[in-house]
Amino acid sequence: MRPVLQVTLVALFEALAIAFALFFFWRVHQQYQAIAQSALVEIQTGTAFLLLPLILPILHLMSIAEKHLVAGPKLAKFRKMQSRLFIFFVLMLPAIGFGINQMVMSQLKQQGYHACSLVTHQTRSSFTTYSKDTVLCPKS
């Protein structure tokens, strides 16, 4: 593969990974704003997987660090640490997303919201409507 094309593809994939993570955090921010301002809130859960692509930029930064900072006998130790960090991030990024979603659910309960019976399921996420008053719940 040509070097220019390779660099372009890596930059594109890293930009997409960052965009997915920013979308996740924007979505959480929108949900917090809706909780603070509205009596009827639609919450999307199951979006923690949007943080998983951040592994690509993290691995890229680790490979740059390996290339420029580590040499000689320290290289084997760094590669071992790098593989452990990869496994750590694969496990932690979805866990962080799940924890953030649980914080949104906790905020809903603290504000006195109750789940309506209408739940819409999509491929990887579900949309649930919450209301402070059950009269406001949409009918299916």
Side-chain angles (χ1 to χ4, degrees):
M1 186 180 302
R2 292 186 171 163
V4 173
L5 179 61
Q6 184 178 6
V7 169
T8 303
L9 287 175
V10 167
L12 176 68
F13 287 137
E14 287 181 359
L16 284 172
I18 292 168
F20 285 147
L22 289 175
F23 176 72
F24 172 78
F25 289 115
W26 174 79
R27 191 75 181 131
V28 169
H29 177 71
Q30 294 291 356
Q31 290 172 346
Y32 270 112
Q33 282 185 335
I35 290 169
Q37 297 172 356
S38 180
L40 193 65
V41 178
E42 184 177 67
I43 298 295
Q44 180 181 5
T45 58
T47 56
F49 69 91
L50 288 171
L51 294 179
L52 198 54
L54 283 178
I55 288 180
L56 181 63
I58 291 169
L59 283 176
H60 189 208
L61 290 174
M62 287 170 45
S63 70
I64 291 170
E66 175 186 342
K67 194 179 267 187
H68 293 288
L69 301 176
V70 181
K74 293 181 180 179
L75 187 60
K77 280 186 177 182
F78 186 80
R79 286 190 177 159
K80 194 173 193 179
M81 182 189 71
Q82 191 175 19
S83 64
R84 289 178 181 163
L85 280 174
F86 174 75
I87 292 169
F88 174 76
F89 283 121
V90 166
L91 297 174
M92 286 309 296
L93 286 171
I96 289 168
F98 178 77
I100 290 171
N101 283 334
Q102 290 304 312
M103 287 171 40
V104 170
M105 300 305 287
S106 173
Q107 184 70 21
L108 279 170
K109 288 181 182 179
Q110 286 178 357
Q111 296 291 328
Y113 284 89
H114 302 284
C116 296
S117 61
L118 183 62
V119 176
T120 307
H121 296 281
Q122 291 188 351
T123 305
R124 290 196 166 100
S125 63
S126 63
F127 293 86
T128 307
T129 305
Y130 289 85
S131 174
K132 287 187 176 183
D133 185 8
T134 56
V135 175
L136 298 174
C137 287
K139 306 296 183 225
S140 51

